[in-house]
Amino acid sequence: MQKSLLAATGVAVAGTFGACALVLAGPVTPIKFDVAPVTSLLNPHLSQNWQLFAPDPISDERGVVARVRCQGEATDWTDISSSAIARTQSSRFFPDRESRIVSNALVERFAQDDISKRLETRGKEDLVPSDVGTERRAERVLARYAALRVLCPSAMNADDQPSAVQLRYVVQSLPPWSKRSDDAARAEPRITDSEWIPL
């Protein structure tokens, strides 16, 4: 009797978990909203998603260059994303994770939810809510990081600290896989400059 009860409990727990996982990973339906409190028991440790299958594959390469303003004068543009990647790749066993600051901030800066994308494709840009707060927060992170990496010309002088940072985003669209060896298929990079961000 005790073994039967234990086996029935195990089957019930496994069945409940499987049903919750199917509902949580499935498409948005009224059932999903009705059983949301139950399926939320799986979060955050046992959540299910489709990210493994790359629904939005990478189609461009993004980088950022920056310059700082020191005592009213601007420095030259300095690539801060490539240097972070080079430091990460310099050690295979104990890599530097500093490049995540740049990559995560770039993702956050250009992030756009699915509803906004759909509205833009339908020509209803006026209905798209502007998420300026997220973009500003990402730019502040990049500006603080750039202020550490791009030094003022007279770095020996303690009074010569950067007062503002300007960021330049460089987005290079990748050609389709079938045209990867065709140089004519490579598009010109898109360049976007930010305003001067005070530190």
Side-chain angles (χ1 to χ4, degrees):
M1 180 71 173
Q2 192 175 12
K3 289 182 181 179
S4 299
L5 186 61
L6 192 60
T9 303
V11 168
V13 168
T16 304
F17 174 78
C20 288
L22 283 173
V23 170
L24 189 64
V28 178
T29 62
I31 297 171
K32 191 170 191 173
F33 292 115
D34 290 340
V35 296
V38 177
T39 57
S40 67
L41 295 172
L42 300 177
N43 290 326
H45 305 295
L46 301 172
S47 63
Q48 306 291 314
N49 59 42
W50 294 97
Q51 291 178 354
L52 174 66
F53 302 105
D56 190 13
I58 295 172
S59 60
D60 56 30
E61 185 176 7
R62 297 177 184 179
V64 62
V65 294
R67 64 180 176 175
V68 298
R69 185 184 293 154
C70 303
Q71 296 181 351
E73 303 236 352
T75 62
D76 292 333
W77 292 102
T78 304
D79 186 357
I80 59 172
S81 52
S82 295
S83 60
I85 292 169
R87 277 193 302 282
T88 300
Q89 294 177 347
S90 65
S91 174
R92 295 295 181 190
F93 294 111
F94 302 104
D96 184 15
R97 289 179 168 72
E98 200 170 297
S99 65
R100 292 182 185 181
I101 296 171
V102 178
S103 61
N104 290 345
L106 278 172
V107 168
E108 190 175 348
R109 167 62 178 83
F110 292 102
Q112 189 179 24
D113 64 337
D114 292 337
I115 294 172
S116 297
K117 287 180 185 175
R118 289 181 200 161
L119 288 171
E120 283 184 357
T121 56
R122 293 179 184 169
K124 299 180 180 178
E125 290 86 359
D126 55 331
L127 298 176
V128 177
S130 61
D131 193 4
V132 178
T134 305
E135 291 179 9
R136 283 193 185 140
R137 188 171 48 248
E139 284 191 343
R140 294 277 308 161
V141 169
L142 286 170
R144 288 194 302 263
Y145 179 77
L148 294 174
R149 290 289 162 209
V150 183
L151 300 176
C152 290
S154 58
M156 298 297 185
N157 185 0
D159 295 333
D160 194 9
Q161 296 294 324
S163 60
V165 175
Q166 186 178 22
L167 303 169
R168 174 173 284 176
Y169 305 103
V170 181
V171 180
Q172 174 69 54
S173 296
L174 301 174
W177 184 255
S178 60
K179 299 179 181 177
R180 65 189 180 277
S181 58
D182 184 10
D183 290 338
R186 185 171 293 274
E188 288 294 317
R190 293 188 319 270
I191 296 173
T192 307
D193 289 350
S194 73
E195 300 292 327
W196 283 97
I197 304 162
L199 296 174

